[in-house]
Amino acid sequence: EALGLFTGIGLSEAKARETLRNGALSALLRRAVLQARSALGPALDKATGTLLYNAAARLKDPKHLGFLVGYIARRQILTDLQLSAALEYVRSHPLEPLDVADFERACGVGICVTPEQIEEAVEAVISKHRAELLAERYHFNMGLLMGEARSQLRWADGKTIKNEVDLQVLHLLGPKTEADLEKKPKVAKARLAPAEKQKVAVVENGDMGTETRSLLEQLRGEALKFHKPGENYKTEGYVVTPNTMALLKQHLAITGGQVRTRFPPEPNGILHIGHAKAINFNFGYAKANGGVCFLRYDDTNPEKEEEKYFTAIRDMVEWLGYQPYAVTHASDYFDQLYTWALELIRRGQAYVCHQKVEEIKGHNPPPSPWRNRPVEESLLLFEDMRKGKFGEGEATLRMKLVMEDGKMDPVAYRVKFTPHHRTGDKWCIYPTYDYTHCLCDSIEHITHSLCTKEFQARRSSYFWLCNALDVYCPVQWEYGRLNLLYTVVSKRKIIRLVETGAVRDWDDPRLFTLTALRRRGFPPEAINNFCARVGVTVAQATMEPHLLEACAREVLNEQAPRAMAVLEPLKVTITNFPAPEVRLPWAVVGVGLLEISIHALFSPQALEVLVPNFPADESRGFHKVPFHQTVYIEETDFREEADKGYKRLAPGQPVGLRHTGYVITVQNVIKDVSGRVIELEVTCTKSDVAEKPKAFIHWVSVPLACEVRLYERLFLHKNPEDPSEVPGGFLSDLNPDSLRVVHNALVDSSVRSARPFDKFQFERLGYFSVDPDSEEGKMVFNRTVTLKEDPGKA
C-alpha cells in the first residue's frame, strides 16, 4: 500500500523502495500524501508530489508538517524556492503559534510575478551589461544575467526568466555565428612559485599566519553547520521550551552576539596530545569568529586534584599560543549550583537516593525505590547530606531523567569528606560532571559547548537540566577524539608508568603529554599544525606518531639554528694544520723548560670558521666555531676498509670538513691494545685545489662535553592497550630500547649560552632541544626527531 502511495506521487519504484527503508521519512511522507489527497483527491501531479517529498525529507521538526502540507495542497506553495523559504521560516521560529501573515510574506504566498515585470527586469539587466555583451557576444556568462534578474524578482518562475533572457539576447546579438560557436580560449593561470604555494595568508590560531591551512579551514561535516549566537534553536535536536526565546534574548543582551567557547579540563593530570586538539578547536573557533574562550577547571573531584596540575594546564594552554578570556573554576559556582539543586528538588525533578554505588553501576541498574519520595523529604535529606550527616556512599542526589544511552537518573551530588583546594572544608557534597558542566556553561553564557564524542550520551541530560531549571541552554556539539598509536594517554595508565619506573614523570619525553612533547623539543606551532591537519570530524582520528614528527620537522627546519655535534667521537689530528705557529716567551717557560713538550712550545692557534645559522638563508646570520689541529668526527664516518658505495673517510678516500674549506686525507691509523681505532692522523688540503671529495662530514673542535638522550617509541605495538594485540597488558609491551643515553657526546661551543628548551639542528644528526637537567659545564640534549623519517619504523 505504501509503495503504491509513493509511486502515485511520481517517485520511481526504486526511489519509493529506498524511502520505505527509512522508517522516519516514510512515516512523514505517508502522512503528507494522505493529507494532500484528502484536499486534492487521489490523483496528485508530479510537481505536487515532489514538493511533498522534499517537505517530508527536509523538515527538521515534524510538528510543522501538516501546516506546510496545507499550503502545498492549497496551491499556495508552488515552487521549491517557496518551500525552501518555508522550511527556513519554521526552523527559525520554533515556538507556536506561527505568525501566518509573516510566514506568507517570507514565502511569497500570493505573489504573482507578471510577464511584463519579468520583461522589464531582464531588459534592465541587459542594458546594464550591454557593452560587455556586444564585445563578448555569446561567450558572455549568461548565468550572470539570470542571477541578477532573479535577485530582483525573487518569486518569479526560473524557466520564464531564462526564456526571456534568451529572447532578449537573441534580439540584441542576432543568431550565433561560427565565431560564437567556437570554444572560448582558456586563460592560463599564473603559477605560484613553490614557496608561494605554501605560504598563503590564513587565520591561524586567531592571528594571520603563513601556514598552508588553518584549523578552521580544516573543518569537516557538522562543524560547518554551527549555529550563530542566539540561534541555538536552529541546531538539530535542540529542545525548545516556552521560555527558550526569552532566555536567548537575554543571552544576546549579555554577550552582544559574541561567540563564546570554553576549554574545561579536569585538574587531575597533565594535558596530552588529544587535549591539544580540544584547545585548538575551542580557542581557535572563538578567535576566528571574533569571540572569546574561557579556561574553566572542572574541579569537582578534590581527592584527585593537585595544584601542580592547575599550573601545568594553564602553562600548556599559553605555550600553545592561547590566552584565556577568563580563568574560572567549577568551584566558583558551588553556591549557585547548590541553590539550583534545591530548586530542582522543589520542581520534583530530583530526589535523594540511598542505593549503593555498586547497585547503580552499569547501564541497567534497578530503579531506585526512593524515586518518588516526597519533595519535602528529599529537601531535608539533601540538607543532611550538606551537613555531613551521611557517610560517603550512603546518599546521593539523583536527577529524574533517562539519558541517550539508556542510563537512568544520573547522580547530581555525592558525599565526599575531602577538603577542596579552593573552598577548604566548606562543602562535604560535590556536584558531578553531569550536573555541573551544562550549568557552568549556562552561567558563562557559552554559545558552543564543544566536547568529544564520548559525551554524546550526556547531551540529553545537558539540555534537560538547563530546561528543567529554566536557565539559558547552550548547544553541545560532539567531535571525534584524537588518538595516537604506540602510546597511552589515560591518566591512570601514565601514573602506572611513573610508579613502575618505566618513565621518569609526566614530562618524560617518551610520553605524549604536552609537557613531555615540550621537553622533547616539539615546537607548539608543530602541534597546532598537526591538529589542523587532522581536522575536526565526527569520527575518531587515530594517527601515526610520524605525522606529528613530520610537522615538527617542518617548523624546526625554519626555527632551529644549525650547530655541529658528535655523538661517538673519534679523535683526528691534522699534522699540517694551516694556522701560524706561535713561540712562547722564555720568561714564561722558566725552570720548567725541560718539562714542556716541543709541541706545546709551537702550538698552532685555532682558526675561526663562520657557520651559517640557516644554510638555505645566509641573511639570518652566522656563528663562529673554533677550528683547531685536533678535531673530532663520528666513529661511523671512518672505516679502515671502504665498501663499495661507502663515501666517507677511509685510507685513500679523503672527505671534506663541513664549512672549513679543507679536505682531509688519512696518513696514519692509531689503535689501542685491543685493536680499536682511537685516533687518526691526517693531512689537510684546501678544497679549491684538492680533488672534489665524495662526501663532507661534520666535526667539532675545542668542543663542549654534553649528554645526549636518544628516544624511540615507548611501546612495541601500535595498540598497547588492546588485549588482542598485547595479551599481557600495556606494561608488558614496553620497548627496552626506548631511551639510549650518550654520556660523552661533544658539541661545538656556539651553543654554550643556550637555555632549556632552546632548539638546534645538529647537522646530519637531527633536531635537538636543551633539557632542563642541563647544568653549568654539562649540557643535556634531547633528540626531538631525526632529519628524515626512519623508513625502518613501521
Side-chain angles (χ1 to χ4, degrees):
E1 180 266 341
L3 183 65
L5 199 67
F6 294 166
T7 55
I9 61 169
L11 296 186
S12 66
E13 185 172 334
K15 186 67 175 177
R17 291 188 183 280
E18 179 188 330
T19 302
L20 284 170
R21 286 195 289 272
N22 184 332
L25 173 57
S26 58
L28 288 178
L29 183 56
R30 187 175 185 279
R31 277 174 50 195
V33 173
L34 292 176
Q35 180 182 337
R37 285 174 64 171
S38 67
L40 299 173
L44 299 177
D45 60 83
K46 188 172 182 179
T48 302
T50 300
L51 289 173
L52 293 173
Y53 180 86
N54 287 339
R58 292 158 57 190
L59 186 63
K60 300 295 183 187
D61 190 346
K63 71 182 179 184
H64 293 299
L65 182 67
F67 178 78
L68 293 181
V69 171
Y71 276 87
I72 294 170
R74 293 192 297 273
R75 310 291 192 188
Q76 291 175 297
I77 290 180
L78 296 165
T79 66
D80 191 65
L81 189 66
Q82 284 183 296
L83 179 61
S84 295
L87 291 167
E88 175 59 28
Y89 187 92
V90 297
R91 189 166 73 96
S92 303
H93 298 76
L95 298 182
E96 298 283 5
L98 292 175
D99 184 330
V100 173
D102 190 47
F103 170 81
E104 292 183 351
R105 277 193 299 273
C107 303
V109 172
I111 295 177
C112 179
V113 181
T114 65
E116 291 77 14
Q117 288 174 307
I118 294 175
E119 183 180 346
E120 289 174 7
V122 172
E123 195 174 292
V125 171
I126 287 180
S127 177
K128 175 183 173 183
H129 295 283
R130 182 182 177 86
E132 299 99 309
L133 273 165
L134 291 172
E136 297 184 38
R137 291 182 58 77
Y138 286 98
H139 289 138
F140 183 83
N141 179 12
M142 302 302 171
L144 178 65
L145 306 179
M146 279 284 300
E148 291 191 12
R150 290 218 58 165
S151 67
Q152 294 182 31
L153 302 170
R154 183 182 178 190
W155 305 113
D157 180 66
K159 288 184 179 179
T160 306
I161 292 177
K162 185 179 185 306
N163 292 338
E164 186 62 31
V165 168
D166 291 343
L167 185 65
Q168 291 198 29
V169 168
L170 179 64
H171 180 72
L172 175 65
L173 304 179
K176 290 183 179 180
T177 64
E178 287 187 15
D180 294 327
L181 295 173
E182 290 179 4
K183 288 187 176 180
K184 188 176 182 179
K186 291 184 177 179
V187 179
K189 293 182 179 178
R191 291 189 175 182
L192 292 173
E196 291 176 313
K197 281 184 182 178
Q198 297 300 315
K199 296 188 176 182
V200 180
V202 296
V203 175
E204 177 70 35
N205 306 329
D207 301 308
M208 290 303 291
T210 55
E211 298 301 330
T212 51
R213 302 187 79 187
S214 72
L215 174 65
L216 270 298
E217 288 179 306
Q218 293 285 336
L219 289 178
R220 296 289 184 269
E222 291 302 311
L224 299 175
K225 301 176 185 177
F226 277 171
H227 65 282
K228 294 178 182 177
E231 295 185 352
N232 304 27
Y233 54 86
K234 290 188 176 182
T235 304
E236 189 170 356
Y238 188 81
V239 179
V240 177
T241 72
N243 291 329
T244 294
M245 303 311 286
L247 290 167
L248 288 174
K249 187 176 180 181
Q250 293 173 13
H251 160 72
L252 286 174
I254 291 168
T255 66
Q258 185 182 51
V259 166
R260 288 186 167 204
T261 61
R262 82 289 167 272
F263 174 57
E266 195 175 352
N268 62 356
I270 299 296
L271 302 182
H272 55 69
I273 188 66
H275 291 111
K277 177 178 177 179
I279 292 168
N280 270 276
F281 194 15
N282 278 285
F283 281 90
Y285 183 76
K287 281 193 175 182
N289 289 279
V292 297
C293 183
F294 291 74
L295 169 59
R296 185 205 308 142
Y297 295 108
D298 179 25
D299 56 343
T300 57
N301 288 305
E303 70 273 16
K304 295 182 179 180
E305 294 156 8
E306 295 182 41
E307 187 59 38
K308 67 177 182 179
Y309 298 138
F310 287 84
T311 303
I313 287 170
R314 182 163 186 177
D315 284 349
M316 289 301 96
V317 168
E318 294 179 350
W319 177 64
L320 289 178
Y322 298 106
Q323 283 296 328
Y325 168 70
V327 177
T328 60
H329 305 74
S331 57
D332 295 339
Y333 311 120
F334 276 178
D335 288 327
Q336 178 63 72
L337 294 174
Y338 177 73
T339 300
W340 274 336
L342 294 174
E343 180 61 24
L344 202 63
I345 297 171
R346 291 188 191 101
R347 295 186 178 207
Q349 303 286 16
Y351 62 95
V352 172
C353 175
H354 304 289
Q355 284 179 296
K356 303 298 182 187
V357 174
E358 295 73 23
E359 293 180 73
I360 60 177
K361 272 186 177 178
H363 290 289
N364 294 298
S368 172
W370 293 279
R371 195 172 199 264
N372 296 315
R373 76 187 327 160
V375 166
E376 294 74 14
E377 190 176 311
S378 281
L379 286 170
L380 290 171
L381 291 171
F382 189 51
E383 180 65 12
D384 287 344
M385 286 173 61
R386 189 185 71 81
K387 291 178 178 178
K389 294 183 179 180
F390 287 103
E392 292 190 14
E394 292 181 358
T396 57
L397 182 70
R398 296 176 67 180
M399 298 177 281
K400 290 185 180 180
L401 80 148
V402 179
M403 300 174 74
E404 287 185 26
D405 60 358
K407 191 172 182 179
M408 191 172 183
D409 294 0
V411 172
Y413 272 86
R414 69 276 203 224
V415 176
K416 287 180 182 286
F417 293 106
T418 305
H420 191 275
H421 74 289
R422 298 185 75 242
T423 61
D425 294 323
K426 179 179 178 180
W427 300 94
C428 64
I429 56 170
Y430 292 98
T432 61
Y433 175 91
D434 287 322
Y435 180 77
T436 306
H437 190 67
C438 62
L439 295 181
C440 288
D441 281 353
S442 179
I443 292 169
E444 293 176 353
H445 282 272
I446 301 304
T447 57
H448 300 78
S449 182
L450 311 173
C451 57
T452 47
K453 197 70 176 173
E454 66 264 32
F455 292 101
Q456 183 171 346
R458 264 78 170 250
R459 192 198 300 175
S460 55
S461 67
Y462 188 105
F463 291 158
W464 177 89
L465 184 52
C466 289
N467 291 329
L469 289 167
D470 275 330
V471 296
Y472 161 70
C473 183
V475 175
Q476 176 175 305
W477 187 87
E478 306 90 15
Y479 59 91
R481 289 182 63 167
L482 168 59
N483 291 323
L484 278 184
L485 298 172
Y486 296 101
T487 191
V488 297
V489 294
S490 158
K491 295 170 186 174
R492 180 175 55 83
K493 290 177 180 175
I494 292 175
I495 289 172
R496 291 277 291 127
L497 290 170
V498 174
E499 290 173 345
T500 57
V503 296
R504 288 175 56 182
D505 207 338
W506 288 83
D507 64 348
D508 188 297
R510 289 167 290 181
L511 296 173
F512 283 88
T513 61
L514 295 185
T515 51
L517 290 171
R518 179 179 63 174
R519 185 166 189 171
R520 184 159 169 172
F522 279 79
E525 298 89 339
I527 295 171
N528 292 342
N529 292 347
F530 175 65
C531 293
R533 292 184 183 184
V534 172
V536 179
T537 60
V538 175
Q540 178 172 291
T542 302
M543 312 301 291
E544 291 272 4
H546 70 77
L547 298 173
L548 175 59
E549 292 168 1
C551 291
R553 289 187 188 96
E554 288 178 8
V555 174
L556 289 170
N557 185 51
E558 296 294 323
Q559 291 185 356
R562 278 39 171 179
M564 291 190 288
V566 173
L567 301 188
E568 304 291 344
L570 175 60
K571 183 179 179 181
V572 176
T573 301
I574 304 173
T575 58
N576 65 335
F577 190 73
E581 293 182 346
V582 56
R583 186 180 298 277
L584 296 179
W586 289 104
V588 175
V589 176
V591 178
L593 174 62
L594 295 177
E595 298 175 12
I596 297 177
S597 70
I598 299 300
H599 176 73
L601 284 172
F602 299 94
S603 176
Q605 291 179 321
L607 298 175
E608 281 190 339
V609 175
L610 282 179
V611 178
N613 295 327
F614 296 88
D617 183 3
E618 293 189 353
S619 67
R620 298 178 69 180
F622 293 78
H623 60 273
K624 293 178 180 179
V625 174
F627 177 38
H628 193 266
Q629 76 174 131
T630 300
V631 299
Y632 298 88
I633 66 171
E634 293 284 358
E635 277 190 351
T636 52
D637 280 342
F638 171 74
R639 287 185 189 175
E640 286 191 84
E641 294 182 10
D643 300 333
K644 186 178 180 180
Y646 181 77
K647 297 181 179 180
R648 284 165 281 170
L649 186 62
Q653 182 167 293
V655 296
L657 295 179
R658 290 176 66 81
H659 309 297
T660 65
Y662 285 95
V663 175
I664 59 172
T665 304
V666 176
Q667 301 299 325
N668 188 27
V669 179
I670 302 170
K671 302 180 181 180
D672 63 14
V673 292
S674 68
R676 178 173 172 267
V677 176
I678 58 172
E679 185 179 350
L680 302 175
E681 289 181 345
V682 304
T683 56
C684 68
T685 308
K686 281 200 169 186
S687 57
D688 55 359
V689 296
E691 185 178 340
K692 185 177 180 181
K694 291 183 178 180
F696 287 82
I697 63 174
H698 65 280
W699 53 274
V700 293
S701 186
V702 196
L704 305 174
C706 65
E707 178 182 302
V708 174
R709 298 168 181 172
L710 305 174
Y711 298 98
E712 299 295 342
R713 289 173 181 155
L714 182 59
F715 295 99
L716 297 170
H717 291 82
K718 284 188 174 183
N719 301 291
E721 298 170 274
D722 185 349
S724 63
E725 202 170 323
V726 185
F730 72 101
L731 289 176
S732 71
D733 195 47
L734 293 170
N735 176 8
D737 301 317
S738 63
L739 170 62
R740 180 166 76 90
V741 180
V742 181
H743 294 284
N744 298 307
L746 302 174
V747 62
D748 74 50
S749 56
S750 67
V751 305
R752 186 186 303 274
S753 60
R755 296 289 177 264
F757 306 119
D758 284 354
K759 298 163 183 58
F760 299 92
Q761 184 197 108
F762 289 168
E763 297 196 32
R764 298 176 64 220
L765 297 180
Y767 294 101
F768 292 76
S769 178
V770 181
D771 189 87
D773 285 346
S774 297
E775 299 174 350
E776 186 70 32
K778 185 71 171 181
M779 300 187 76
V780 180
F781 290 91
N782 296 316
R783 184 173 66 188
T784 308
V785 287
T786 55
L787 291 179
K788 294 181 180 178
E789 183 185 341
D790 185 349
K793 289 181 182 179

